[in-house]
C-alpha cells in the first residue's frame, strides 16, 4: 500500500521509478517575473524558490526554513502571496510572479518599502523581503482593519529579531497610501 502511494506521488510530480532508483526528467517552464519573460529548463523537483534564486539569480527572495514555516520566501504568484519554497517550479508554466526586486517603479520604492525604512521595521533584514511581499499581499487583501488583524494575517512571516511592532506600523502606514 505504501509503495503504491509513493509511486503514485512520484508519477504525479514527474518522477519515474526504475527498480530502487528514482529518476527525474527536465521540464521547460515559461513564466514572467517582474515583467520579464523567462524560459527555464528545470529538474522536476526544483522549487519555485530555487528557480528564482539559482536559475534567475533573484536572490532577494530568501531561503529560511525551506519548509513553509518562516515566510522568508514569500512572493506574489498571479497576484497572491505564496511561500515559494513549498511549490514546484514545474507547476507554474505561464505564471506571473512578482518578487521584491520588482516592487519599485521608475526608481521609486513601493510605499511599503518606504514605510519599512520610515518605521525602522528591520534589524538583520533576513526576513524583510518576505515581510514586505507578504505585507503587500495583506494590504491588497484588505486585512488591515486593525493592528490585531494585521498581526493575524502576517502570522506566517517570522522575524527572529522581533521587529513586529514596527512591521505592523509600516503596514498601517502603507495601507493609507496604496
Ligand atoms: Fe519558505 Fe521558510 S523558506 S517558508
Ligand atoms: Fe532579522 Fe527579521 S529583521 S529576522
Amino acid at each position: 500500500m505504501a509503495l503504491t502511494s509513493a509511486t503514485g506521488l512520484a508519477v504525479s510530480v514527474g518522477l519515474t521509478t526504475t527498480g530502487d532508483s528514482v529518476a527525474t526528467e527536465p521540464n521547460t517552464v515559461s513564466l514572467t517575473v517582474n515583467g520579464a519573460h523567462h524560459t527555464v529548463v528545470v529538474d522536476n523537483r526544483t522549487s519555485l524558490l530555487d528557480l528564482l534564486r539559482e536559475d534567475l539569480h533573484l536572490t532577494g527572495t530568501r531561503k529560511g526554513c525551506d519548509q513553509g514555516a518562516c515566510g522568508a520566501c514569500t512572493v506574489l504568484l498571479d497576484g497572491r502571496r505564496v511561500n515559494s519554497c513549498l511549490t514546484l517550479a514545474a507547476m507554474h508554466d505561464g505564471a506571473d510572479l512578482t518578487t521584491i526586486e520588482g516592487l519599485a517603479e521608475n526608481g521609486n520604492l513601493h510605499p511599503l518599502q518606504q514605510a519599512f525604512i520610515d518605521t525602522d521595521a528591520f534589524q538583520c533584514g533576513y526576513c524583510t523581503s518576505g515581510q514586505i511581499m507578504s505585507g503587500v499581499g495583506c494590504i491588497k487583501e484588505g486585512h488591515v482593519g486593525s493592528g490585531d488583524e494585521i498581526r493575524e494575517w502576517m502570522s506566517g512571516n517570522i522575524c527572529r529579531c522581533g521587529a513586529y511592532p514596527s512591521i505592523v506600523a509600516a503596514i498601517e502606514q502603507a495601507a493609507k497610501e496604496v
Side-chain angles (χ1 to χ4, degrees):
M1 182 63 178
L3 180 61
T4 304
S5 298
T7 304
L9 176 62
V11 170
S12 73
V13 297
L15 309 180
T16 56
T17 56
T18 51
D20 290 340
S21 64
V22 177
T24 65
E25 297 167 5
N27 202 83
T28 301
V29 181
S30 292
L31 68 180
T32 302
V33 183
N34 303 328
H37 190 69
H38 301 271
T39 298
V40 187
V41 177
V42 294
D43 183 297
N44 278 337
R45 297 166 295 182
T46 302
S47 69
L48 189 58
L49 174 60
D50 283 342
L51 179 146
L52 290 170
R53 291 182 57 85
E54 307 299 333
D55 294 285
L56 302 185
H57 309 295
L58 293 170
T59 54
T61 304
R62 300 291 167 75
K63 182 181 282 189
C65 63
D66 207 20
Q67 54 186 261
C70 74
C73 64
T74 305
V75 299
L76 298 182
L77 172 62
D78 295 328
R80 298 181 62 196
R81 49 183 168 159
V82 299
N83 289 337
S84 59
C85 71
L86 279 188
T87 189
L88 295 172
M91 296 167 61
H92 299 294
D93 191 39
D96 186 13
L97 285 169
T98 305
T99 70
I100 191 71
E101 291 91 344
L103 271 193
E105 284 185 10
N106 303 319
N108 298 314
L109 293 178
H110 184 281
L112 187 54
Q113 291 175 304
Q114 185 60 54
F116 264 64
I117 295 170
D118 295 344
T119 63
D120 202 16
F122 47 85
Q123 236 178 81
C124 77
Y126 199 87
C127 73
T128 306
S129 56
Q131 298 280 2
I132 290 174
M133 297 311 295
S134 193
V136 169
C138 185
I139 293 169
K140 273 179 66 174
E141 295 156 17
H143 296 306
V144 288
S146 67
D148 281 348
E149 186 177 12
I150 292 170
R151 277 185 282 278
E152 172 68 20
W153 287 90
M154 290 293 294
S155 61
N157 288 78
I158 306 303
C159 175
R160 286 190 291 181
C161 298
Y164 297 112
S166 298
I167 291 170
V168 172
I171 292 172
E172 287 175 327
Q173 175 180 315
K176 297 178 185 146
E177 301 172 25
V178 295

